[in-house]
mmCIF file of all heavy atoms in Angstrom:
data_model
loop_
_atom_site.group_PDB
_atom_site.id
_atom_site.type_symbol
_atom_site.label_atom_id
_atom_site.label_comp_id
_atom_site.label_asym_id
_atom_site.label_seq_id
_atom_site.Cartn_x
_atom_site.Cartn_y
_atom_site.Cartn_z
ATOM 1 N N GLY R 41 52.797 44.596 63.401
ATOM 2 C CA GLY R 41 52.206 44.566 62.080
ATOM 3 C C GLY R 41 51.147 45.618 61.783
ATOM 4 O O GLY R 41 50.524 45.570 60.706
ATOM 5 N N PHE R 42 50.917 46.563 62.668
ATOM 6 C CA PHE R 42 49.953 47.593 62.387
ATOM 7 C C PHE R 42 50.553 48.571 61.345
ATOM 8 O O PHE R 42 51.767 48.860 61.359
ATOM 9 C CB PHE R 42 49.606 48.361 63.674
ATOM 10 C CG PHE R 42 48.750 47.545 64.614
ATOM 11 C CD1 PHE R 42 49.324 46.834 65.668
ATOM 12 C CD2 PHE R 42 47.379 47.473 64.436
ATOM 13 C CE1 PHE R 42 48.540 46.077 66.512
ATOM 14 C CE2 PHE R 42 46.599 46.650 65.250
ATOM 15 C CZ PHE R 42 47.168 45.992 66.298
ATOM 16 N N THR R 43 49.696 49.072 60.494
ATOM 17 C CA THR R 43 50.136 50.007 59.422
ATOM 18 C C THR R 43 49.519 51.376 59.619
ATOM 19 O O THR R 43 49.964 52.336 58.959
ATOM 20 C CB THR R 43 49.759 49.501 58.032
ATOM 21 O OG1 THR R 43 48.371 49.345 57.918
ATOM 22 C CG2 THR R 43 50.454 48.136 57.804
ATOM 23 N N ALA R 44 48.488 51.485 60.448
ATOM 24 C CA ALA R 44 47.793 52.775 60.614
ATOM 25 C C ALA R 44 47.299 52.915 62.058
ATOM 26 O O ALA R 44 46.884 51.884 62.683
ATOM 27 C CB ALA R 44 46.626 52.879 59.655
ATOM 28 N N ILE R 45 47.304 54.137 62.520
ATOM 29 C CA ILE R 45 46.779 54.419 63.838
ATOM 30 C C ILE R 45 45.682 55.470 63.695
ATOM 31 O O ILE R 45 45.858 56.465 62.981
ATOM 32 C CB ILE R 45 47.894 55.027 64.754
ATOM 33 C CG1 ILE R 45 48.982 53.918 65.011
ATOM 34 C CG2 ILE R 45 47.329 55.503 66.096
ATOM 35 C CD1 ILE R 45 50.218 54.438 65.733
ATOM 36 N N VAL R 46 44.554 55.252 64.376
ATOM 37 C CA VAL R 46 43.468 56.210 64.398
ATOM 38 C C VAL R 46 43.280 56.669 65.856
ATOM 39 O O VAL R 46 43.031 55.887 66.758
ATOM 40 C CB VAL R 46 42.155 55.589 63.877
ATOM 41 C CG1 VAL R 46 41.027 56.629 63.921
ATOM 42 C CG2 VAL R 46 42.328 55.067 62.470
ATOM 43 N N ASN R 47 43.350 57.987 66.014
ATOM 44 C CA ASN R 47 43.138 58.603 67.336
ATOM 45 C C ASN R 47 41.708 59.094 67.408
ATOM 46 O O ASN R 47 41.323 60.028 66.679
ATOM 47 C CB ASN R 47 44.111 59.763 67.518
ATOM 48 C CG ASN R 47 43.888 60.510 68.843
ATOM 49 O OD1 ASN R 47 43.022 60.177 69.615
ATOM 50 N ND2 ASN R 47 44.702 61.547 69.043
ATOM 51 N N ASN R 48 40.870 58.481 68.211
ATOM 52 C CA ASN R 48 39.507 58.895 68.412
ATOM 53 C C ASN R 48 39.299 59.718 69.656
ATOM 54 O O ASN R 48 38.177 59.957 70.114
ATOM 55 C CB ASN R 48 38.564 57.672 68.454
ATOM 56 C CG ASN R 48 38.567 56.870 67.201
ATOM 57 O OD1 ASN R 48 38.661 55.686 67.203
ATOM 58 N ND2 ASN R 48 38.413 57.550 66.052
ATOM 59 N N ARG R 49 40.379 60.208 70.232
ATOM 60 C CA ARG R 49 40.310 60.988 71.502
ATOM 61 C C ARG R 49 40.710 62.410 71.236
ATOM 62 O O ARG R 49 41.818 62.682 70.747
ATOM 63 C CB ARG R 49 41.239 60.310 72.504
ATOM 64 C CG ARG R 49 41.049 60.798 73.893
ATOM 65 C CD ARG R 49 41.768 59.922 74.874
ATOM 66 N NE ARG R 49 41.315 60.344 76.196
ATOM 67 C CZ ARG R 49 41.968 60.086 77.295
ATOM 68 N NH1 ARG R 49 43.127 59.450 77.259
ATOM 69 N NH2 ARG R 49 41.511 60.520 78.450
ATOM 70 N N PRO R 50 39.863 63.356 71.675
ATOM 71 C CA PRO R 50 40.277 64.756 71.514
ATOM 72 C C PRO R 50 41.403 65.111 72.473
ATOM 73 O O PRO R 50 41.405 64.610 73.619
ATOM 74 C CB PRO R 50 39.007 65.524 71.817
ATOM 75 C CG PRO R 50 38.123 64.602 72.610
ATOM 76 C CD PRO R 50 38.545 63.194 72.216
ATOM 77 N N ASP R 51 42.323 65.925 72.014
ATOM 78 C CA ASP R 51 43.366 66.409 72.914
ATOM 79 C C ASP R 51 42.774 67.142 74.085
ATOM 80 O O ASP R 51 41.732 67.824 73.952
ATOM 81 C CB ASP R 51 44.323 67.316 72.168
ATOM 82 C CG ASP R 51 45.343 66.579 71.315
ATOM 83 O OD1 ASP R 51 45.556 65.398 71.532
ATOM 84 O OD2 ASP R 51 45.935 67.237 70.429
ATOM 85 N N GLY R 52 43.407 67.033 75.275
ATOM 86 C CA GLY R 52 42.952 67.773 76.423
ATOM 87 C C GLY R 52 41.744 67.127 77.136
ATOM 88 O O GLY R 52 41.183 67.788 78.075
ATOM 89 N N GLU R 53 41.369 65.956 76.791
ATOM 90 C CA GLU R 53 40.200 65.335 77.434
ATOM 91 C C GLU R 53 40.512 65.066 78.907
ATOM 92 O O GLU R 53 39.636 65.201 79.761
ATOM 93 C CB GLU R 53 39.869 64.029 76.707
ATOM 94 C CG GLU R 53 38.565 63.400 77.212
ATOM 95 C CD GLU R 53 38.217 62.176 76.399
ATOM 96 O OE1 GLU R 53 38.992 61.221 76.288
ATOM 97 O OE2 GLU R 53 37.078 62.229 75.820
ATOM 98 N N ASP R 54 41.701 64.597 79.176
ATOM 99 C CA ASP R 54 42.165 64.346 80.585
ATOM 100 C C ASP R 54 43.514 64.996 80.770
ATOM 101 O O ASP R 54 44.360 64.989 79.869
ATOM 102 C CB ASP R 54 42.306 62.876 80.867
ATOM 103 C CG ASP R 54 40.994 62.148 81.078
ATOM 104 O OD1 ASP R 54 40.077 62.810 81.621
ATOM 105 O OD2 ASP R 54 40.908 60.966 80.771
ATOM 106 N N ALA R 55 43.739 65.498 81.969
ATOM 107 C CA ALA R 55 45.083 66.056 82.257
ATOM 108 C C ALA R 55 46.136 64.948 82.160
ATOM 109 O O ALA R 55 45.887 63.870 82.611
ATOM 110 C CB ALA R 55 45.080 66.645 83.695
ATOM 111 N N GLY R 56 47.202 65.280 81.505
ATOM 112 C CA GLY R 56 48.267 64.317 81.436
ATOM 113 C C GLY R 56 48.208 63.322 80.267
ATOM 114 O O GLY R 56 49.137 62.529 80.109
ATOM 115 N N GLN R 57 47.149 63.338 79.522
ATOM 116 C CA GLN R 57 47.105 62.408 78.374
ATOM 117 C C GLN R 57 48.081 62.858 77.305
ATOM 118 O O GLN R 57 48.251 64.063 77.109
ATOM 119 C CB GLN R 57 45.678 62.288 77.820
ATOM 120 C CG GLN R 57 45.343 63.232 76.688
ATOM 121 C CD GLN R 57 43.900 63.193 76.221
ATOM 122 O OE1 GLN R 57 43.011 63.318 77.004
ATOM 123 N NE2 GLN R 57 43.717 63.115 74.941
ATOM 124 N N PRO R 58 48.703 61.911 76.598
ATOM 125 C CA PRO R 58 49.589 62.339 75.515
ATOM 126 C C PRO R 58 48.810 63.036 74.411
ATOM 127 O O PRO R 58 47.659 62.686 74.117
ATOM 128 C CB PRO R 58 50.108 61.011 74.959
ATOM 129 C CG PRO R 58 49.811 59.981 76.011
ATOM 130 C CD PRO R 58 48.605 60.523 76.744
ATOM 131 N N ASP R 59 49.405 64.091 73.846
ATOM 132 C CA ASP R 59 48.704 64.793 72.759
ATOM 133 C C ASP R 59 48.894 64.035 71.467
ATOM 134 O O ASP R 59 49.815 63.273 71.268
ATOM 135 C CB ASP R 59 49.125 66.244 72.662
ATOM 136 C CG ASP R 59 50.571 66.437 72.229
ATOM 137 O OD1 ASP R 59 51.047 65.740 71.342
ATOM 138 O OD2 ASP R 59 51.252 67.328 72.791
ATOM 139 N N GLY R 60 47.902 64.262 70.591
ATOM 140 C CA GLY R 60 47.898 63.554 69.310
ATOM 141 C C GLY R 60 49.138 63.876 68.443
ATOM 142 O O GLY R 60 49.595 62.975 67.722
ATOM 143 N N ASP R 61 49.640 65.082 68.540
ATOM 144 C CA ASP R 61 50.806 65.425 67.738
ATOM 145 C C ASP R 61 52.022 64.569 68.057
ATOM 146 O O ASP R 61 52.780 64.206 67.149
ATOM 147 C CB ASP R 61 51.143 66.917 67.888
ATOM 148 C CG ASP R 61 50.161 67.830 67.264
ATOM 149 O OD1 ASP R 61 49.381 67.394 66.369
ATOM 150 O OD2 ASP R 61 50.171 69.066 67.597
ATOM 151 N N SER R 62 52.199 64.256 69.335
ATOM 152 C CA SER R 62 53.388 63.378 69.692
ATOM 153 C C SER R 62 53.251 61.981 69.167
ATOM 154 O O SER R 62 54.191 61.407 68.718
ATOM 155 C CB SER R 62 53.577 63.395 71.201
ATOM 156 O OG SER R 62 52.517 62.727 71.861
ATOM 157 N N ILE R 63 51.996 61.507 69.149
ATOM 158 C CA ILE R 63 51.783 60.165 68.626
ATOM 159 C C ILE R 63 51.859 60.183 67.094
ATOM 160 O O ILE R 63 52.416 59.241 66.456
ATOM 161 C CB ILE R 63 50.436 59.579 69.127
ATOM 162 C CG1 ILE R 63 50.523 59.409 70.681
ATOM 163 C CG2 ILE R 63 50.103 58.245 68.481
ATOM 164 C CD1 ILE R 63 49.261 59.135 71.342
ATOM 165 N N ALA R 64 51.336 61.241 66.512
ATOM 166 C CA ALA R 64 51.438 61.403 65.041
ATOM 167 C C ALA R 64 52.919 61.431 64.582
ATOM 168 O O ALA R 64 53.295 60.790 63.614
ATOM 169 C CB ALA R 64 50.709 62.674 64.578
ATOM 170 N N ALA R 65 53.745 62.160 65.318
ATOM 171 C CA ALA R 65 55.174 62.253 64.989
ATOM 172 C C ALA R 65 55.845 60.869 65.099
ATOM 173 O O ALA R 65 56.624 60.491 64.242
ATOM 174 C CB ALA R 65 55.864 63.276 65.862
ATOM 175 N N ALA R 66 55.510 60.171 66.175
ATOM 176 C CA ALA R 66 56.082 58.821 66.346
ATOM 177 C C ALA R 66 55.635 57.866 65.248
ATOM 178 O O ALA R 66 56.395 57.052 64.741
ATOM 179 C CB ALA R 66 55.726 58.281 67.731
ATOM 180 N N ALA R 67 54.345 57.954 64.884
ATOM 181 C CA ALA R 67 53.826 57.132 63.808
ATOM 182 C C ALA R 67 54.550 57.430 62.485
ATOM 183 O O ALA R 67 54.945 56.511 61.770
ATOM 184 C CB ALA R 67 52.325 57.311 63.663
ATOM 185 N N GLU R 68 54.695 58.709 62.154
ATOM 186 C CA GLU R 68 55.342 59.070 60.929
ATOM 187 C C GLU R 68 56.783 58.571 60.907
ATOM 188 O O GLU R 68 57.279 58.034 59.896
ATOM 189 C CB GLU R 68 55.348 60.584 60.743
ATOM 190 C CG GLU R 68 55.981 61.068 59.471
ATOM 191 C CD GLU R 68 55.917 62.560 59.320
ATOM 192 O OE1 GLU R 68 55.042 63.227 59.853
ATOM 193 O OE2 GLU R 68 56.838 63.062 58.594
ATOM 194 N N SER R 69 57.477 58.731 62.030
ATOM 195 C CA SER R 69 58.849 58.266 62.145
ATOM 196 C C SER R 69 58.964 56.761 61.944
ATOM 197 O O SER R 69 59.947 56.274 61.405
ATOM 198 C CB SER R 69 59.393 58.645 63.526
ATOM 199 O OG SER R 69 60.691 58.209 63.683
ATOM 200 N N ALA R 70 57.962 56.021 62.392
ATOM 201 C CA ALA R 70 57.961 54.584 62.284
ATOM 202 C C ALA R 70 57.392 54.080 60.948
ATOM 203 O O ALA R 70 57.375 52.871 60.692
ATOM 204 C CB ALA R 70 57.146 53.961 63.432
ATOM 205 N N GLY R 71 56.907 54.987 60.116
ATOM 206 C CA GLY R 71 56.357 54.597 58.816
ATOM 207 C C GLY R 71 54.913 54.159 58.855
ATOM 208 O O GLY R 71 54.422 53.494 57.954
ATOM 209 N N LEU R 72 54.198 54.538 59.913
ATOM 210 C CA LEU R 72 52.782 54.240 60.024
ATOM 211 C C LEU R 72 51.996 55.488 59.643
ATOM 212 O O LEU R 72 52.433 56.603 59.877
ATOM 213 C CB LEU R 72 52.400 53.808 61.430
ATOM 214 C CG LEU R 72 52.693 52.396 61.880
ATOM 215 C CD1 LEU R 72 54.181 52.250 62.142
ATOM 216 C CD2 LEU R 72 51.885 52.042 63.082
ATOM 217 N N THR R 73 50.775 55.304 59.135
ATOM 218 C CA THR R 73 49.919 56.449 58.935
ATOM 219 C C THR R 73 49.150 56.751 60.202
ATOM 220 O O THR R 73 48.917 55.864 61.029
ATOM 221 C CB THR R 73 48.901 56.234 57.766
ATOM 222 O OG1 THR R 73 48.073 55.135 58.063
ATOM 223 C CG2 THR R 73 49.653 55.999 56.457
ATOM 224 N N TYR R 74 48.824 58.019 60.368
ATOM 225 C CA TYR R 74 48.144 58.470 61.584
ATOM 226 C C TYR R 74 46.923 59.310 61.151
ATOM 227 O O TYR R 74 47.044 60.163 60.249
ATOM 228 C CB TYR R 74 49.060 59.339 62.453
ATOM 229 C CG TYR R 74 48.395 60.010 63.599
ATOM 230 C CD1 TYR R 74 48.283 59.376 64.827
ATOM 231 C CD2 TYR R 74 47.843 61.284 63.464
ATOM 232 C CE1 TYR R 74 47.679 60.002 65.906
ATOM 233 C CE2 TYR R 74 47.197 61.916 64.526
ATOM 234 C CZ TYR R 74 47.119 61.235 65.739
ATOM 235 O OH TYR R 74 46.505 61.900 66.798
ATOM 236 N N HIS R 75 45.778 59.052 61.769
ATOM 237 C CA HIS R 75 44.594 59.789 61.457
ATOM 238 C C HIS R 75 43.905 60.186 62.760
ATOM 239 O O HIS R 75 43.780 59.388 63.669
ATOM 240 C CB HIS R 75 43.570 58.901 60.704
ATOM 241 C CG HIS R 75 44.172 58.269 59.464
ATOM 242 N ND1 HIS R 75 44.233 58.915 58.259
ATOM 243 C CD2 HIS R 75 44.811 57.112 59.290
ATOM 244 C CE1 HIS R 75 44.814 58.129 57.372
ATOM 245 N NE2 HIS R 75 45.179 57.034 57.978
#
Side-chain angles (χ1 to χ4, degrees):
F42 290 96
T43 62
I45 295 172
V46 179
N47 176 0
N48 297 133
R49 193 167 189 201
D51 281 342
E53 187 175 59
D54 282 329
Q57 94 185 49
D59 65 42
D61 288 344
S62 67
I63 296 169
E68 182 180 334
S69 177
L72 282 76
T73 60
Y74 172 90
H75 307 272

